[in-house]
Amino acid sequence: MKMTVKFKHLALAGFALFVSATTFAQKKSSYDQNFRLGFGLNIGAPTNEDVYNYALGADARLQYDLSKKTSLILTTGFTNLFISNDRADLGIIPVKAGFKAFIWEDRFYVLGEVGGAFAVTNKVNQHTYLYAPGIGYATKFVDVSVRYEGYTEYDTHQIALRLAYGFKL
């Protein structure tokens, strides 16, 4: 119950940030703001190699460009953490909100995301907060990034590579 209330507060704070940043950006910017949608594949190396072998996942990311150099992002998908020793794997649905800033030649960027992950496989009922700083390179259609994804409740974190295809809506 307490965890659910915290998730609701986190979601409300993310929504408020999204609305206020969008409103502020519309008043100050002459940049043609757009939404983008991207679909990505992820492969990760868990930091606790004694328990986890590797991670595979897929995601969808909605991006709203505040300016030519800054964007708000919402990401969700599915990640499977493969567990060693013939134990059942851990499948999670991450839900993250974040900020992306292009720092060099409108191609290289840094991003930060926060949110939660919901366990959905093998009757695991342990949800977690997560944070994910990363760096990447994006073109008109292709996005390649590396991120560190930290979980507060699971006994591992991961370093993940994301390869995605994206387009304007």
Side-chain angles (χ1 to χ4, degrees):
M1 169 94 178
K2 190 175 184 181
M3 188 83 120
T4 304
V5 172
K6 289 181 182 180
F7 277 122
K8 287 180 183 176
H9 286 118
L10 182 63
L12 182 61
F15 179 74
L17 173 67
F18 183 78
V19 170
S20 64
T22 303
T23 303
F24 175 75
Q26 288 176 353
K27 291 179 183 176
K28 293 207 130 202
S29 177
S30 62
Y31 174 73
D32 185 25
Q33 298 165 321
N34 293 304
F35 280 98
R36 292 184 56 83
L37 182 61
F39 297 98
L41 297 175
N42 302 278
I43 185 165
T47 58
N48 184 349
E49 295 174 355
D50 294 335
V51 177
Y52 299 92
N53 291 327
Y54 59 97
L56 288 177
D59 65 45
R61 177 176 289 163
L62 181 64
Q63 175 177 312
Y64 179 72
D65 298 329
L66 297 172
S67 71
K68 191 173 181 179
K69 299 223 179 240
T70 59
S71 303
L72 295 175
I73 54 178
L74 294 172
T75 308
T76 190
F78 179 81
T79 300
N80 196 73
L81 296 164
F82 292 89
I83 298 177
S84 57
N85 300 329
D86 296 326
R87 292 178 27 213
D89 297 340
L90 175 61
I92 60 173
I93 295 177
V95 179
K96 304 177 283 187
F99 184 79
K100 184 186 223 182
F102 288 88
I103 57 172
W104 186 36
E105 296 183 4
D106 298 336
R107 296 280 182 231
F108 292 94
Y109 64 85
V110 295
L111 76 126
E113 297 177 292
V114 295
F118 305 92
V120 293
T121 60
N122 301 318
K123 299 181 183 178
V124 174
N125 194 22
Q126 186 177 23
H127 308 308
T128 183
Y129 292 110
L130 65 88
Y131 56 95
I135 59 172
Y137 177 82
T139 66
K140 187 175 180 180
F141 297 107
V142 176
D143 187 338
V144 179
S145 63
V146 175
R147 73 178 179 281
Y148 175 85
E149 196 163 75
Y151 309 106
T152 59
E153 298 297 324
Y154 305 142
D155 58 347
T156 193
H157 307 286
Q158 73 164 315
I159 298 170
L161 173 68
R162 177 179 189 259
L163 177 59
Y165 174 77
F167 52 90
K168 285 184 183 180
L169 292 178

